[in-house]
């Protein structure tokens, strides 16, 4: 079996600064750490690195560091950090990114922006500049912002967009699971009506605070399968964020093996529904990101 992890994070605290890191995440997660999390029984394993939100002025340095360590980490493509609302400054930043061959797309982290931000004229201008380069956009939003991604897809239909983490729905915990909400389901279906939009099967463990079960996440996986179909889904580990348990009273803790646990859960779900595992774990991500 071959697997490309469509959503891998890496960081080295001796190289860059990440103000948002806390608890168990406030440590280096790089080549040595991901090597210990390789998936058993997988013949070919590669990854797409997704920007991890360092200080804004370090986004280009982040790409350079990941590019330099790609041989050791298995990274074959990079989704770089970039603000898309800065006009000429955005254009200049994209031009600098273009000098690095592994860059295939951009993520402007929308989850921290006000609702409606992705509908602004400035952001749409930047999204069009991104599309003109043949690059992709990773949409990391909270559930109530999914309609903003739908509006962006309509405004820039030539831009390939992937919804990170199923749009971060409220899923509860393994002990107090939530069912998919009517609002999330409706917004998801509307977004999926845009054919250039894909969805990552990633991030649900983090949305549960690290306390999750296969039974809990299955209705959400079924919902995105129903909305997007099997040809627009791709597996991602969201490592190391989704490998941290945030529930212990003494503080969060990193759990070795949770990356493989999420992989096994999604693989078992796909097998039970007789889906093409090679598509979900390899081909769809390669097609979306233009990886050959």
């Amino acid at each position: 079996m071959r697997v490309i992890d469509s959503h891998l994070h890496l960081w080295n605290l001796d190289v860059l600064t990440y103000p948002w890191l806390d608890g168990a995440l406030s440590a280096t997660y790089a080549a040595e750490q991901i090597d210990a999390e390789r998936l058993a029984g997988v013949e070919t394993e590669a990854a797409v690195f997704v920007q991890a939100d360092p200080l804004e002025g370090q986004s280009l340095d982040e790409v350079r560091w990941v590019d330099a360590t790609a041989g050791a980490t298995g990274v074959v493509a990079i989704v770089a950090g970039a603000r898309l609302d800065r006009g000429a400054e955005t254009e200049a930043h994209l031009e600098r990114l273009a000098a690095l061959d592994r860059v295939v797309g951009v993520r402007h982290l929308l989850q921290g922006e006000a609702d409606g931000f992705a509908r602004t004229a400035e952001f749409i201008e930047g999204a069009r500049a991104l599309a003109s380069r043949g690059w992709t956009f990773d949409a990391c939003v909270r559930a109530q912002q999914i309609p903003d991604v739908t509006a962006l897809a309509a405004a820039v239909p030539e831009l390939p967009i992937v919804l990170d983490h199923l749009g971060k729905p409220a899923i509860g915990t393994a002990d107090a699971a939530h069912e998919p909400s009517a609002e999330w389901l409706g917004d998801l279906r509307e977004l999926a009506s845009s054919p250039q939009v894909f969805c990552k099967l990633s991030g649900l463990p983090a949305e549960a605070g690290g306390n999750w079960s296969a039974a809990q996440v299955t209705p959400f996986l079924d919902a995105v399968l129903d909305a997007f179909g099997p040809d627009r889904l791709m597996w991602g580990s969201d490592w190391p964020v989704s490998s941290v348990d945030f529930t212990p009273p003494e503080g969060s803790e990193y759990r070795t093996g949770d990356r493989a646990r999420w992989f096994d859960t999604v693989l078992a779900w796909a097998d039970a529904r007789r889906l093409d595992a090679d598509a979900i774990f390899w081909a769809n991500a390669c097609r979306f990101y233009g990886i050959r």
Side-chain angles (χ1 to χ4, degrees):
M1 183 178 184
R2 54 184 185 170
V3 173
I4 185 162
D5 185 343
S6 72
H7 204 96
L8 183 78
H9 299 300
L10 300 162
W11 53 76
N12 186 331
L13 300 188
D14 293 331
V15 177
L16 301 168
T17 301
Y18 298 82
W20 65 275
L21 294 181
D22 192 21
L25 289 176
S26 189
T28 290
Y29 292 94
E32 180 181 349
Q33 291 75 26
I34 189 59
D35 193 53
E37 295 283 0
R38 295 300 176 192
L39 303 171
V42 172
E43 297 171 2
T44 302
E45 185 177 342
V48 178
F49 168 81
V50 177
Q51 69 93 18
D53 209 26
L55 288 173
E56 185 178 332
Q58 295 182 342
S59 59
L60 191 61
D61 292 330
E62 179 184 48
V63 174
R64 288 171 175 151
W65 172 72
V66 172
D67 195 56
T69 61
T73 59
V75 168
V76 295
I78 294 173
V79 176
R83 291 199 63 92
L84 295 182
D85 62 330
R86 299 274 176 87
E89 184 180 329
T90 293
E91 288 277 7
H93 184 66
L94 296 181
E95 187 66 26
R96 289 190 288 270
L97 290 175
L100 296 161
D101 290 341
R102 285 190 178 88
V103 174
V104 295
V106 155
R107 184 168 81 162
H108 177 142
L109 200 56
L110 291 173
Q111 67 177 19
E113 303 286 3
D115 294 358
F117 182 84
R119 302 173 188 251
T120 63
E122 294 82 4
F123 188 89
I124 290 172
E125 179 186 359
R128 287 177 176 146
L130 188 62
S132 72
R133 294 181 176 275
W135 287 351
T136 64
F137 180 69
D138 264 59
C140 186
V141 296
R142 304 195 185 281
Q144 76 272 11
Q145 296 172 308
I146 293 175
D148 292 339
V149 184
T150 304
L152 176 65
V156 195
E158 68 274 23
L159 177 64
I161 298 171
V162 60
L163 181 67
D164 292 349
H165 314 327
L166 291 77
K168 293 198 162 190
I171 70 169
T173 66
D175 305 317
H178 293 177
E179 291 295 318
S181 71
E183 293 80 6
W184 177 73
L185 289 168
D187 290 342
L188 196 74
R189 285 192 290 267
E190 188 171 357
L191 174 61
S193 68
S194 296
Q196 84 271 29
V197 181
F198 284 54
C199 182
K200 288 186 181 180
L201 306 179
S202 62
L204 292 188
E207 293 307 300
N211 178 14
W212 62 278
S213 70
Q216 174 196 7
V217 301
T218 293
F220 295 88
L221 298 176
D222 285 341
V224 293
L225 174 61
D226 182 63
F228 288 90
D231 294 332
R232 288 190 286 157
L233 301 178
M234 61 183 83
W235 177 79
S237 70
D238 188 36
W239 185 87
V241 181
S242 282
S243 290
V244 169
D245 184 355
F246 295 94
T247 61
E250 65 275 12
S252 60
E253 59 183 26
Y254 176 79
R255 294 194 302 207
T256 301
D258 267 22
R259 180 173 183 260
R261 181 186 171 206
W262 178 243
F263 169 77
D264 290 339
T265 297
V266 178
L267 180 59
W269 167 81
D271 286 347
R273 280 141 188 82
R274 299 183 180 179
L275 304 179
D276 181 354
D278 187 70
I280 289 171
F281 288 93
W282 184 271
N284 293 346
C286 290
R287 177 163 49 91
F288 178 82
Y289 284 117
I291 299 166
R292 294 176 176 81

